[in-house]
Structure formats: C-alpha cells, structure tokens
C-alpha cells in the first residue's frame, strides 16, 4: 500500500498515531542535528498556508536569528480546506488563510510569502509549471552564487499536494544544483514508529530554544481557520485538531536530509 493510500485511509477524526506512541520511540532513535551553520540562504516551499510553520517554523525562526535570509513560497492559497463549508466560500477562506499566513510568518521574523496561486487540491496537475516557477525563484535567489537550501514537503507525505510540491522542488533542485531538504507533515499522522516506508536514516533534527518554540506556538495560533471549527456544522470541523497539532508542536523539528 502506498503512502497516499495510507493517508486517505487514516481520517483525521480517527486521530492517527498518537503522540504518546511517537515520543518514546523517537527518544530511542539517534538523529543527527541539522547542520544549519552550512546554510547561506533558505527557501521554504509550502503547498498550503500553514505547512511551512507546522513543518519547519522553528527552523525558519532559528535561521533568521542566525542571520540566514528566509523566503517562503506559498504554492496555493488554501481555498479547498473546507470544500463543503456552509460558512465560508472558497474565495473568502483563501483570503483568510493568506492573512493568517502573513501574520504567522511575521511572528517568525520571515517576510511575506511569495504566492504562486496554484489551485488547492490540484498541484499535481500543475507540477511542471511549479517546477519552472521554482527554478525561477531559485535562480533569482542565488544571483550572488550562494548555495540555497530548498525546504519542501516530503515526496512521500501522503497528501497529493504535498507530494507534488516535493517532486517539483526536487526537480528544481536537480536543475539548479541546490540542496533539497524535505519536511514531513502528515507522515506523523498515518505512519508508525519504524515504519518501513519512511527513510528514517535520512532524518535530521533541530532542538530549538524555548523562545523559538514559543514563537512557533504563537505563529500556529494564527491559523484559526484550520485549528478551530468554522461553525458547529460537521462540514466546518477543524482540519488541525489538538491531536494533530501535538505531533507538530514537539520540542524538536525533524527533516529528511
């Protein structure tokens, strides 16, 4: 069974793999640190507004504190998170999510994201266009010749937009010669400790300072359309309920190197 199928068959309401199952296993597994001192410039590619903060918010804030320039590229505006909502239209939801993302990245010390405006839920159909646009971003970013770290959602994350974004970023890095660093988001939901479909040997970790973690927490709190129900209607349920956030608000962040 592939990761996309496993993601589809693990509903958010079912809670997925609990954080209290992950924690003891992760504590027992050696994970080398992320070598942030080697990073001269960072581009973070987010399929939806919030993925960048949930996946690598602390890493971004730590990089900024160390003087590393960070650019966020928002692939979609997140209009399809509640496709049957009786409360918010897709356009209104997208506008709200853009505003949330601006506030969240500002709290991390990062400038306003560059928005590509691709359709939420349809990134795979625009994968070639996304690759081309990422190559353009990376070419502009590295005019002085410095290497760039390109952080993108893992190609095996399960969510089709996440996987398509990861593939496009990988191809853009292959074309430009920059370093791809992948970050999981939904993998923590559907996978299990020691899951054979996850490349654990590639994993690297960051242990942020308490101040950085507090800033990430405040940034995540800005995503009200995702962490809170839009209304009491079941179609407006939170996309990121507490049990999902628990896996993404650890005292460490992990990426695939």
């Amino acid at each position: 069974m592939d990761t996309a199928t496993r993601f589809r068959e693990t509903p958010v309401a079912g809670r997925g793999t609990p954080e209290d199952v992950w924690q003891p296993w992760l504590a027992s597994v050696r994970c080398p640190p992320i070598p942030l001192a080697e990073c001269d410039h960072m581009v973070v590619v987010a399929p939806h507004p919030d993925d960048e903060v949930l996946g690598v918010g602390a890493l971004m804030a730590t990089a900024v504190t160390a003087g590393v320039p960070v650019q966020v590229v928002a692939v979609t505006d997140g209009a399809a998170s509640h496709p049957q909502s009786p409360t918010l239209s897709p356009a209104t939801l997208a506008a709200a999510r853009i505003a949330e993302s601006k506030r969240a990245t500002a709290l991390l010390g990062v400038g306003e994201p560059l928005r590509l405006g691709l359709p939420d839920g349809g990134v795979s159909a625009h994968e070639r266009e996304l690759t081309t646009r990422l190559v353009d971003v990376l070419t502009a970013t590295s005019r002085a010749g410095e290497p760039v770290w390109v952080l993108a959602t893992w190609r095996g994350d399960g969510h089709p937009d996440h996987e398509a974004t990861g593939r496009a970023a990988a191809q853009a890095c292959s074309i430009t010669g920059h370093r791809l660093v992948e970050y999981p988001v939904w993998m923590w939901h559907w996978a299990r400790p020691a899951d054979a479909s996850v490349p654990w040997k590639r994993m690297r970790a960051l242990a942020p300072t308490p101040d950085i973690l507090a800033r990430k927490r405040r940034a995540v709190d800005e995503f009200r359309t995702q962490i809170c129900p839009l209304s009491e209607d079941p179609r407006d349920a939170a996309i990121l309920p507490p049990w999902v956030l628990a896996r993404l608000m650890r005292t460490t962040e992990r990426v695939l190197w």
Side-chain angles (χ1 to χ4, degrees):
M1 184 184 297
D2 62 25
T3 56
T5 300
R6 294 177 66 187
F7 172 68
R8 286 195 304 270
E9 295 183 354
T10 310
V12 169
R15 302 202 171 203
T17 303
E19 180 62 2
D20 60 6
V21 171
W22 280 116
Q23 278 297 336
W25 184 78
L26 289 170
S28 71
V29 176
R30 179 183 175 275
C31 189
I34 298 171
L36 188 56
E38 299 176 9
C39 181
D40 294 312
H41 205 119
M42 184 180 292
V43 171
V44 181
V45 188
H48 313 100
D50 69 10
D51 288 320
E52 74 282 13
V53 178
L54 294 167
V56 286
L59 180 54
M60 288 195 294
T62 302
V64 169
T65 300
V68 177
V70 178
Q71 171 71 63
V72 172
V73 178
V75 177
T76 80
D77 293 331
S81 69
H82 293 78
Q84 298 178 317
S85 173
T87 305
L88 295 181
S89 69
T92 302
L93 181 57
R97 297 194 69 183
I98 289 171
E100 291 170 347
S101 179
K102 287 180 181 179
R103 295 192 298 268
T105 51
L107 285 168
L108 299 177
V110 178
E112 184 175 337
L114 171 64
R115 303 196 178 279
L116 303 186
L118 296 184
D120 187 3
V123 177
S124 60
H126 296 264
E127 199 170 314
R128 183 175 296 180
E129 176 188 351
L130 177 56
T131 298
T132 299
R133 297 180 74 176
L134 290 177
V135 168
D136 290 343
V137 169
L138 295 176
T139 301
T141 298
S142 62
R143 281 176 181 161
E146 74 273 15
V148 179
W149 284 15
V150 182
L151 278 61
T153 41
W154 177 42
R155 287 166 286 178
D157 207 35
H159 190 296
D161 282 352
H162 288 213
E163 296 196 351
T165 295
R167 290 192 299 268
Q171 182 63 18
C173 286
S174 178
I175 292 168
T176 61
H178 295 300
R179 174 177 286 280
L180 177 69
V181 180
E182 299 178 90
Y183 59 94
V185 176
W186 286 109
M187 178 272 284
W188 300 112
H189 176 70
W190 56 259
R192 302 284 298 181
D195 197 311
S197 61
V198 180
W200 300 107
K201 290 183 179 180
R202 291 175 48 204
M203 198 155 278
R204 302 290 183 271
L206 173 76
T209 65
D211 174 67
I212 293 291
L213 287 172
R215 287 167 61 189
K216 177 178 177 177
R217 175 78 265 178
R218 291 195 296 272
V220 170
D221 285 345
E222 291 295 334
F223 296 109
R224 307 302 293 174
T225 63
Q226 305 301 294
I227 65 177
C228 301
L230 301 180
S231 74
E232 295 183 359
D233 191 291
R235 293 169 291 180
D236 279 342
I239 303 300
L240 300 170
W243 54 90
V244 172
L245 290 178
R247 294 184 287 256
L248 299 168
M249 293 302 301
R250 298 171 178 145
T251 56
T252 59
E253 283 184 347
R254 289 172 171 79
V255 299
L256 295 168
W257 190 252

